[in-house]
Amino acid sequence: MKKLVIVESPSKSKTIEKYLGPDYSVVSSKGHIRDLATTGKGGLGIDVEDDFKPTYKVSSDKKDIVKDLKARAKKADEVYLASDPDREGEAISWHLAQELGLDTAQQNRVIFNEITKNAVLDAFEHPRTIDLNLVKSQETRRMLDRIIGFKLSKLLQNKIQSKSAGRVQSVALRLIVERENEIKAFKSEEYWTIDALIKKNKKEFKAGLIRVDGKKPELKDEAAAQAVLDRCTGEFVIDKIERKVKSKAARLPFITSTLQQEASTKLGFSSKKTMQVAQKLYEGISLGGHTEGLISYMRTDSTRLSDVFVKDAFHHIEETYGKKYVGFVHQKNSQNAQDAHEAIRPTNVHNTPDSVKEYLTNDQYKLYKLIYARALAYLMAPSKSDVVTATIANNGCEFTANGSIITFDGYLAVYKDYEQTKDELLPDLEEKEVLEHVQLDGKQHFTEPPARYSEARLIKEMEEKGIGRPSTYAMIIDTIQARGYVSLEKASEGSKTKVFFPTEQGILTDKKLQEFFSSIINVSYTANMEKDLDEIAEGERDNVKELREFYDQFMPLLDHAYENMEKKELERTGELCPECGNELVYRNGRYGRFVSCINFPSCRYTKAENEENNETDEVCPNCGSKLVMKKGRFGAFLACSNYPECKYIKSNKVKEEPVPTGEDCPECGKPLVKRKSRFGTTFVGCSGYPKCRYIKKDPEAAAKKEAKKKTTAKKTVKKTVSKKKVSDADE
């Protein structure tokens, strides 16, 4: 029997199977196969009294997959677990081992950072055991999220009709609300700047005021600015000229968070879209005759690059750009980095963006080009600029002008599309030279409040504060929007950047969480918890002790909140329920606001928030009740107000009368008439319908229909070819 290999994603299983050869069968678990059950005390699936023992249940949509995997595993000589190389991937392998009855002490765990033939074959040469400490860390994280999510969400739903709360999502919301509070509390202050506009040899340049009598100027109002302007009456003399060469090195290669930030600012991608596109580039793209993963694993917080890639990249840089463009490795990992695998990079430096462009979608090409350029630029020489700084003096006032010109582009040879560079030349200047054409310009300014968070800024803030993990940022941002706590909108009418605004419900949710759970829902507590989880993964901290300490702190806060949190009154609509006579109220549902009976769940009457329900003068022909105007998916219609006892419906559309054509029906002899179909088109048919169903053929319409069929056939052929290409790429 073949050796069985289980991976996470079906799209990469065929690629890996090709690399391994006929002795291997590669199948997919399609992600996690099981999760915490919703049974037991509080529906947590966790026995708190028995050292937080979890109860797992195979997900309903994975039962057939697990059944198939069990059957395959029984027939296989060996089973390898090749889920993704991160904490979640390790947990998936452990859950598979538990369900399939595999020995966790066996060396059957295989990890690879890229889906290339060499990387996959090498990984199977060095299998290891499942890292149980990593599994414990993931399990602890999942249980913490379950406890907080279930308990807090139930509380908030009951008290203020908020949909959910979470260990990390609520802290992300806190950051957005805090920023909004800072903006509201901000008081703008006036200040002034003074520039000298100078002209020499037909070239104009600007010098800014930096010192007055050796001190930084404080120009808080027009009077202070005018005092400086008044004293600048003498000659403007060049006091000093400094010339130096400035080097600028490329930034580090991408980790998950920086990729999401750069893709947001440079490509306009949401974090969710970035991860989806990167996932496809990692899993494999059909490059003509073969399928290959184009980038290394995209969930990482390490900036390390493999020695093999560095060597290949240096050789490629020298051959393509020249020896002087070859740089050096200047690695600097974050202190929170796990360094489990490499930075995000191309798997093959010879797969240049242009060489694979024809095989990629537009979004895939954009993101791959960005990843490729960043990794290669990092290994290239710094750019160099000649910088000139001129200090200009006048009666104790000092102005400076800066000019620069790039003398060597270095890494910008590949990264120029993503970094703005501009040469700013100064005219030839000499020390002690008196400048003749100088005009002073004073400008009024006002301090501005801190900027709201864009996706990129929020991810950067979360990363710097140690909240969550890079692999979860996209999901967190997606969740707080889906819950209706924040909206992502343009900062201003002319702005291109979208920023987060907290909604009324988001502000209320944050207020209540801070009122009752500020010791847990805060930046430092969440960041420290992440460190504790990392220490569990390293085997340096006991996971049960960590859970117990959290639980013992959390539950008294929860009990206090149930007793003391004020319940938000439901907003009345002013109408009465047509089914039970109680008041109708507004509620928040999965698809937005809706109207329902206040007596829910005893009475389950609901309607859309904007649904028309106006009585008309017409009477129902079936029961005599008033007809009311309602809105349906096909527009307005009349219905009986006694619904659901009476289900009479009357169309609100005015039916057009048939128009006689002057011809007779060739089948029954009755007059032919012109009618309008339900699709809005006109046709000629027998007035004896429905007894006679004759319809006169329109030669012109028939010709158009035939031509349309041919066009559609051509389009279908093109579409089929396109689908085939996508299917190949999925392998």
Side-chain angles (χ1 to χ4, degrees):
M1 174 59 190
K2 290 182 177 181
K3 297 172 184 178
L4 181 66
V5 180
I6 305 174
V7 297
E8 278 187 49
S9 170
S11 61
K12 62 186 177 187
S13 56
K14 289 183 181 179
T15 305
I16 294 169
E17 193 170 85
K18 286 177 185 176
Y19 293 157
L20 294 173
D23 293 336
Y24 291 82
S25 174
V26 183
V27 294
S28 166
S29 69
K30 296 183 180 178
H32 278 279
I33 58 163
R34 63 181 194 176
D35 195 5
L36 289 170
T38 52
T39 54
K41 190 176 179 181
L44 295 174
I46 303 166
D47 190 342
V48 175
E49 306 304 322
D50 187 11
D51 285 341
F52 293 86
K53 184 179 179 182
T55 300
Y56 290 106
K57 183 181 179 182
V58 174
S59 306
S60 56
D61 61 333
K62 296 295 176 70
K63 287 181 179 178
D64 290 341
I65 291 172
V66 172
K67 186 179 178 181
D68 179 59
L69 291 175
K70 282 181 177 179
R72 289 173 180 268
K74 281 182 181 178
K75 295 177 184 177
D77 297 327
E78 294 177 51
V79 179
Y80 290 96
L81 305 170
S83 47
D84 288 348
D86 56 14
R87 201 175 328 215
E88 291 297 320
E90 205 70 20
I92 289 171
S93 285
W94 181 77
H95 283 293
L96 284 166
Q98 295 292 305
E99 282 297 317
L100 304 182
L102 304 178
D103 184 2
T104 54
Q106 186 182 346
Q107 292 187 329
N108 58 3
R109 174 76 170 116
V110 177
I111 59 169
F112 31 80
N113 190 47
E114 59 186 63
I115 301 174
T116 57
K117 189 170 184 178
N118 289 340
V120 171
L121 294 178
D122 183 64
F124 277 84
E125 289 291 323
H126 304 93
R128 60 166 173 80
T129 58
I130 293 173
D131 187 337
L132 295 179
N133 285 327
L134 205 56
V135 174
K136 279 183 183 178
S137 177
Q138 188 277 341
E139 190 172 57
T140 306
R141 179 189 295 271
R142 184 69 191 95
M143 286 196 275
L144 286 168
D145 288 344
R146 170 60 66 88
I147 293 166
I148 294 175
F150 266 39
K151 298 286 188 184
L152 275 189
S153 297
K154 189 176 179 182
L155 168 75
L156 295 182
Q157 287 163 11
N158 179 270
K159 295 288 188 177
I160 60 172
Q161 292 89 56
S162 282
K163 294 179 184 177
S164 72
R167 183 176 62 87
V168 181
Q169 65 155 287
S170 296
V171 180
L173 173 62
R174 169 98 280 252
L175 291 174
I176 293 168
V177 173
E178 271 186 322
R179 180 55 54 89
E180 197 67 23
N181 291 339
E182 288 172 19
I183 293 168
K184 286 179 180 177
F186 182 81
K187 291 182 179 178
S188 185
E189 293 181 2
E190 180 185 5
Y191 71 98
W192 285 67
T193 58
I194 297 175
D195 291 325
L197 308 177
I198 305 163
K199 190 173 183 181
K200 183 186 177 184
N201 298 337
K202 296 183 179 180
K203 183 172 180 60
E204 293 182 348
F205 64 99
K206 186 190 291 184
L209 178 70
I210 59 162
R211 278 184 289 273
V212 176
D213 297 328
K215 296 178 182 178
K216 183 180 177 181
E218 291 188 15
L219 309 179
K220 293 185 177 181
D221 52 33
E222 186 177 6
Q226 189 61 49
V228 173
L229 292 170
D230 290 343
R231 70 185 283 177
C232 293
T233 55
E235 294 180 330
F236 285 84
V237 180
I238 296 177
D239 185 51
K240 184 169 58 176
I241 293 177
E242 288 182 287
R243 290 183 172 86
K244 59 183 177 181
V245 176
K246 184 180 178 182
S247 293
K248 186 181 178 186
R251 287 183 287 175
L252 296 168
F254 285 130
I255 58 175
T256 307
S257 59
T258 53
L259 175 64
Q260 290 174 352
Q261 291 168 47
E262 200 77 344
S264 174
T265 55
K266 299 297 191 294
L267 307 179
F269 286 9
S270 68
S271 53
K272 183 178 180 181
K273 179 178 180 177
T274 298
M275 295 309 287
Q276 287 174 339
V277 177
Q279 181 84 32
K280 185 59 193 162
L281 292 172
Y282 163 69
E283 289 179 351
I285 300 291
S286 177
L287 304 177
H290 70 290
T291 301
E292 186 177 335
L294 289 182
I295 65 170
S296 58
Y297 193 54
M298 63 284 157
R299 292 185 177 90
T300 176
D301 51 9
S302 170
T303 56
R304 178 177 58 83
L305 293 175
S306 74
D307 293 339
V308 174
F309 176 77
V310 170
K311 183 181 177 182
D312 289 346
F314 281 158
H315 182 68
H316 175 77
I317 293 165
E318 186 174 346
E319 279 196 333
T320 309
Y321 300 97
K323 194 168 184 176
K324 64 180 180 178
Y325 282 87
V326 177
F328 55 92
V329 175
H330 47 103
Q331 181 183 335
K332 185 185 178 183
N333 268 334
S334 160
Q335 63 180 35
N336 294 323
Q338 301 303 295
D339 203 31
H341 27 76
E342 295 179 64
I344 305 168
R345 60 163 176 82
T347 55
N348 185 341
V349 74
H350 299 295
N351 283 333
T352 62
D354 287 342
S355 70
V356 297
K357 185 176 181 180
E358 63 179 300
Y359 306 107
L360 305 177
T361 65
N362 192 39
D363 287 341
Q364 287 170 353
Y365 171 72
K366 285 179 180 178
L367 192 64
Y368 180 66
K369 184 182 177 184
L370 179 63
I371 292 168
Y372 185 96
R374 180 69 164 246
L376 203 64
Y378 165 71
L379 296 171
M380 294 177 74
S383 65
K384 290 182 180 179
S385 302
D386 282 345
V387 179
V388 178
T389 302
T391 304
I392 301 162
N394 181 303
N395 196 21
C397 298
E398 290 181 44
F399 299 79
T400 59
N402 295 298
S404 66
I405 181 169
I406 294 175
T407 56
F408 175 60
D409 56 355
Y411 76 91
L412 292 171
V414 295
Y415 211 67
K416 60 180 178 293
D417 290 345
Y418 309 107
E419 275 191 22
Q420 290 184 343
T421 57
K422 186 180 179 183
D423 289 338
E424 294 182 6
L425 293 174
L426 293 178
D428 291 333
L429 300 171
E430 295 179 9
E431 288 188 3
K432 308 307 176 187
E433 178 183 351
V434 176
L435 299 169
E436 295 180 0
H437 303 286
V438 181
Q439 181 182 340
L440 293 180
D441 181 30
K443 285 187 178 178
Q444 182 188 41
H445 306 273
F446 292 93
T447 54
E448 294 185 355
R452 290 182 175 89
Y453 290 111
S454 62
E455 271 204 47
R457 280 198 292 264
L458 183 61
I459 289 169
K460 186 177 182 182
E461 186 81 357
M462 291 173 71
E463 181 191 22
E464 288 177 351
K465 293 185 181 299
I467 302 166
R469 276 284 170 258
S471 57
T472 64
Y473 294 157
M475 183 183 65
I476 292 163
I477 287 171
D478 203 37
T479 300
I480 57 176
Q481 291 180 82
R483 298 292 183 264
Y485 295 155
V486 301
S487 61
L488 191 60
E489 302 169 24
K490 286 184 178 180
S492 60
E493 196 171 320
S495 173
K496 292 182 180 179
T497 305
K498 289 185 176 182
V499 294
F500 288 108
F501 291 83
T503 63
E504 187 180 328
Q505 193 66 27
I507 292 169
L508 175 64
T509 302
D510 177 71
K511 180 184 175 183
K512 293 301 178 185
L513 288 174
Q514 290 308 303
E515 189 177 339
F516 292 93
F517 298 94
S518 60
S519 61
I520 286 176
I521 305 298
N522 66 66
V523 169
S524 60
Y525 185 89
T526 306
N528 287 331
M529 190 177 281
E530 290 294 345
K531 291 177 185 175
D532 293 343
L533 290 168
D534 291 340
E535 288 179 12
I536 292 169
E538 296 295 325
E540 297 172 1
R541 186 178 284 266
D542 182 77
N543 65 315
V544 175
K545 184 181 177 184
E546 186 69 24
L547 285 164
R548 176 60 62 194
E549 286 178 0
F550 163 76
Y551 194 81
D552 290 346
Q553 181 182 354
F554 175 69
M555 289 308 294
L557 297 175
L558 186 72
D559 294 338
H560 176 71
Y562 266 109
E563 288 178 18
N564 297 283
M565 188 183 290
E566 191 177 341
K567 195 164 185 175
K568 179 185 174 184
E569 285 294 317
L570 291 166
E571 185 185 348
R572 269 67 168 172
T573 67
E575 300 177 75
L576 296 179
C577 175
E579 294 188 8
C580 71
N582 281 296
E583 289 183 279
L584 293 181
V585 294
Y586 292 108
R587 296 184 192 271
N588 291 313
R590 187 176 177 184
Y591 302 107
R593 270 216 329 178
F594 67 97
V595 174
S596 80
C597 181
I598 198 170
N599 207 24
F600 177 87
S602 301
C603 175
R604 293 183 173 270
Y605 173 81
T606 62
K607 69 171 184 174
E609 181 187 2
N610 57 357
E611 182 179 301
E612 294 283 347
N613 199 22
N614 302 321
E615 278 194 3
T616 67
D617 293 330
E618 291 189 61
V619 176
C620 174
N622 290 355
C623 70
S625 299
K626 288 276 188 180
L627 293 183
V628 293
M629 185 73 73
K630 292 196 173 187
K631 280 186 180 177
R633 58 189 294 200
F634 301 113
F637 64 95
L638 292 170
C640 182
S641 59
N642 197 27
Y643 178 86
E645 282 72 20
C646 177
K647 297 184 179 180
Y648 174 78
I649 290 176
K650 177 185 176 184
S651 174
N652 199 37
K653 292 180 180 178
V654 179
K655 198 169 183 180
E656 291 186 21
E657 291 296 320
V659 179
T661 64
E663 299 177 77
D664 292 330
C665 174
E667 292 187 6
C668 71
K670 288 188 176 182
L672 291 179
V673 292
K674 187 180 285 186
R675 299 179 189 271
K676 184 167 277 190
S677 74
R678 62 193 177 109
F679 304 109
T681 56
T682 55
F683 67 97
V684 173
C686 182
S687 59
Y689 178 85
K691 287 185 178 180
C692 178
R693 294 177 177 268
Y694 172 79
I695 293 175
K696 183 181 178 182
K697 289 184 178 179
D698 184 346
E700 188 177 334
K704 285 182 180 178
K705 192 173 182 180
E706 189 63 31
K708 189 176 181 181
K709 273 185 181 179
K710 289 179 181 178
T711 307
T712 306
K714 287 180 182 178
K715 285 182 179 175
T716 305
V717 171
K718 287 182 181 178
K719 197 172 184 181
T720 305
V721 172
S722 174
K723 280 188 174 180
K724 182 69 172 68
K725 189 172 180 181
V726 172
S727 177
D728 289 342
D730 284 342
E731 292 180 9

